[in-house]
Amino acid sequence: MNPRTILAALVAAASVVALVFQVPDGAPDAVPAPPTSDRLDRSATEPAPEVGPVARAGQVGTKRSPGTGGGPAPVEARRLTVQEGAAEMSAYLERASAVGDLAPMAAMVSGDAAVAEPLAARAEALRTSSDPLLRARGILLLLGLGRLRLEDWIDVLEQEPDPTGRELLVRHLPPVGSLERDRLLDAVFARIATDPAPSVRLASIDALPGGLPAALEANLLSALRQDAEPEVRERIALYLREAPSPRVETVQALLASARDAGETPAVRRASIVALLSLDRGAPGLLEAAGSSEVALRAMRGAISAAADRG
């Protein structure tokens, strides 16, 4: 089911909308009912039936009669109340693979109480689901509807017991203004520093914006040295290559990681890639730190050769 078509239909009419469902041959012509279970369909990617164009009064769509090879047969247009439409929308959003669309699409109907209220009620129900992914989806819908503040989102993130739910939340951060940006970054860094699940720490690094304040970049350097998961350390090194104004401490930490014979080859190579990238953006950076592009490229070749042998 195409969510944008649903939204266009819901917003177009104050009380009743008409949708034409294009039904595949051999399939029932009925509108699929919203799921009765709160479990996420683990096949995950099976698309819902597509919605045809919004019908005008008295207009119907067409489909080919199954098995006849003849001309098109009429497809019945079913009229949905706004409440039914909201239920259909929430059912779609529970199954949608594009999770990043949840909050923006909910925001599109947040000003229409007739649609937003039943959608918010469904989202609240999802918050109590036994499925962590559905719990996270409920939170994202409520964020889009403007029903949760940043502090509410942070509380949910801290209290979510399942790493898959925490990962989904940090991959889709709530929109915030400039006054709340630091508070949001603090919450993301708390996941990097303390979350027991490597997948959540990785997702938190991916969620970071560029141009971190010096204090937060120092925290990231600490994680580069201390995180127990090599993949997390590698991801941090690759993130640091985009630093717009690299600090001396950042260059030194990356050099120490690159030169550490006890570090994994992947992390050492990522640190070298970051250093070379930073030096291209600020020529002379490596020389000031006591290294050079030639030395780093030679080191990278030696690391790769050793890894191939061993």
Side-chain angles (χ1 to χ4, degrees):
M1 189 178 295
N2 187 320
R4 297 188 183 281
T5 304
I6 298 175
L7 284 172
L10 292 176
V11 175
S15 59
V16 177
V17 293
L19 301 178
V20 176
F21 285 81
Q22 304 289 357
V23 184
D25 287 349
D29 289 350
V31 176
T36 56
S37 169
D38 68 354
R39 298 297 297 177
L40 184 66
D41 180 1
R42 292 304 183 175
S43 62
T45 57
E46 182 179 348
E50 288 295 324
V51 177
V54 177
R56 297 178 181 175
Q59 183 181 11
V60 295
T62 60
K63 73 169 183 177
R64 187 169 300 280
S65 300
T68 65
V75 174
E76 293 185 4
R78 177 181 174 188
R79 300 180 68 79
L80 301 179
T81 66
V82 169
Q83 288 75 17
E84 288 175 323
E88 291 292 339
M89 178 181 173
S90 66
Y92 169 84
L93 293 175
E94 288 172 37
R95 301 189 301 266
S97 58
V99 180
D101 288 342
L102 296 181
M105 296 193 72
M108 291 174 65
V109 297
S110 60
D112 186 342
V115 179
E117 291 303 326
L119 187 57
R122 180 57 184 159
E124 288 287 359
L126 290 178
R127 289 184 66 177
T128 65
S129 170
S130 59
D131 189 314
L133 297 184
L134 287 183
R135 290 198 297 270
R137 285 169 182 254
I139 294 300
L140 294 175
L141 287 172
L142 291 170
L143 283 170
L145 292 169
R147 305 302 175 94
L148 290 180
R149 300 173 297 115
L150 174 61
E151 290 301 323
D152 298 324
W153 178 86
I154 292 173
D155 288 343
V156 170
L157 178 61
E158 291 176 346
Q159 295 170 16
E160 171 57 55
D162 194 287
T164 57
R166 298 195 302 276
E167 179 183 350
L168 187 58
L169 288 173
V170 296
R171 287 198 182 280
H172 303 283
L173 300 179
V176 296
S178 57
L179 295 179
E180 293 183 312
R181 181 177 183 271
D182 288 348
R183 182 70 183 99
L184 178 61
L185 285 177
D186 286 343
V188 174
F189 264 93
R191 292 299 99 205
I192 296 173
T194 65
D195 200 290
S199 62
V200 179
R201 302 200 298 277
L202 288 168
S204 301
I205 296 164
D206 292 342
L208 291 175
L212 292 175
L216 292 182
E217 190 170 310
N219 292 341
L220 203 56
L221 298 179
S222 177
L224 174 64
R225 293 188 293 268
Q226 299 176 7
D227 196 285
E229 183 64 36
E231 188 177 359
V232 173
R233 300 194 300 275
E234 179 184 2
R235 193 73 58 86
I236 291 171
L238 292 175
Y239 169 83
L240 290 170
R241 70 180 172 178
E242 303 295 339
S245 301
R247 299 161 53 243
V248 173
E249 294 86 351
T250 300
V251 175
Q252 290 174 341
L254 288 168
L255 272 174
S257 174
R259 291 167 172 168
D260 184 358
E263 182 56 276
T264 67
V267 177
R268 296 181 70 188
R269 284 192 293 259
S271 298
I272 292 172
V273 166
L275 287 164
L276 293 173
S277 178
L278 293 175
D279 191 61
R280 281 193 295 270
L285 192 69
L286 290 176
E287 184 178 354
S291 187
S292 68
E293 179 179 348
V294 172
L296 287 177
R297 291 189 182 280
M299 185 189 303
R300 184 170 61 180
I303 292 169
S304 296
D308 291 343
R309 289 195 301 271

